[in-house]
Every structure is written in structure tokens, then in C-alpha cells.
């Protein structure tokens, strides 16, 4: 079985189980082993062959007035100065990869709910 498909199934199962126990399920951010055959579920790109920046090298803006295609997002920037300029224009806070945790994930989810409901 495709490792990414298996991970999605396990994640979905965990969310279902957790949602039955609480209105605010804890979201775990888990590392994923990048193997030679690991492919992106959206476009089939082989992750190990991608030459772009790795998440650990980027600066992320959270809480800006700008939305991604599917709502709130972690807006990635290669340069800290570009992230800071974006914050000046659109608000938000700059985070490094190692600062992204469950609490920040909840903040992003709340921002999405506020965006959809107008509250």
C-alpha cells in the first residue's frame, strides 16, 4: 500500500476517534519518512526528487488577512525579509518551522471558521 495513502487513512481514523471524544481534537504534527517512492497526493510529484526549499528552511506567516485557495494557510517564504514585508502589508506573525505546533494549528483552524462564518 502507498505510504501516503496509509498515512491519510490513519490520520482520518484518528480524527474520527478524537472528534467523538472532544469538540477540540488534539492534532499531532508527525514527521514523515521521505522515501524514494513517496509521491504528493495532489500531483504525483516524487517528494525526494523535489529541489525546492525544505520546510525547515522557510519562514511561515500565520494569521494574515490573505487566504490560501482553501482558506487560512501557512504562507511560506524563503527569505525572512520577504515574510516581514508580507506581514507589513497583510498582517500576521512570522514563525520558523520548529515553532509550528498544535496550538498554532488550532489558531489557523479558528481563523478558517471565523473566515467562513464572519465571526
Amino acid at each position: 500500500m502507498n505510504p501516503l495513502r496509509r498515512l491519510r487513512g490513519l490520520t482520518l481514523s484518528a480524527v474520527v476517534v478524537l472528534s467523538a471524544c472532544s469538540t477540540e481534537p488534539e492534532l499531532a504534527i508527525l514527521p514523515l519518512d521521505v522515501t524514494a517512492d513517496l509521491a504528493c497526493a495532489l500531483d504525483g510529484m516524487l517528494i525526494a526528487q523535489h529541489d525546492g526549499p525544505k520546510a525547515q528552511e522557510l519562514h511561515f506567516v500565520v494569521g494574515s488577512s490573505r487566504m490560501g485557495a482553501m482558506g487560512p494557510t501557512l504562507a511560506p517564504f524563503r527569505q525572512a525579509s520577504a515574510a516581514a514585508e508580507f506581514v507589513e502589508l497583510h498582517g500576521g506573525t512570522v514563525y520558523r518551522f520548529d515553532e509550528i505546533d498544535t496550538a498554532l494549528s488550532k489558531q489557523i483552524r479558528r481563523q478558517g471558521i471565523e473566515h467562513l462564518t464572519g465571526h
Side-chain angles (χ1 to χ4, degrees):
M1 177 184 272
N2 180 321
L4 189 56
R5 186 172 287 158
R6 182 175 175 200
L7 179 62
R8 280 189 295 198
L10 291 172
T11 302
L12 179 60
S13 298
V15 169
V16 170
V17 169
L18 291 174
S19 66
C21 299
S22 170
T23 57
E24 288 288 327
E26 284 294 319
L27 301 175
I29 301 173
L30 303 172
L32 181 63
D33 289 331
V34 177
T35 59
D37 64 341
L38 180 62
C40 174
L42 297 176
D43 62 13
M45 177 186 73
L46 294 174
I47 305 300
Q49 294 179 3
H50 179 56
D51 290 333
K54 305 302 178 215
Q56 295 86 343
E57 302 168 0
L58 299 175
H59 306 269
F60 298 91
V61 174
V62 174
S64 76
S65 61
R66 304 291 296 208
M67 293 289 132
M70 300 176 80
T73 189
L74 293 165
F77 294 88
R78 188 181 297 242
Q79 302 294 327
S81 58
E85 185 177 319
F86 182 86
V87 168
E88 285 291 319
L89 293 171
H90 306 289
T93 305
V94 179
Y95 294 90
R96 294 291 304 184
F97 180 78
D98 60 349
E99 298 174 305
I100 300 170
D101 59 10
T102 302
L104 191 56
S105 296
K106 286 182 179 181
Q107 176 186 333
I108 295 167
R109 186 173 64 203
R110 279 191 303 273
Q111 183 187 6
I113 292 169
E114 291 167 3
H115 173 72
L116 291 174
T117 63
H119 294 97

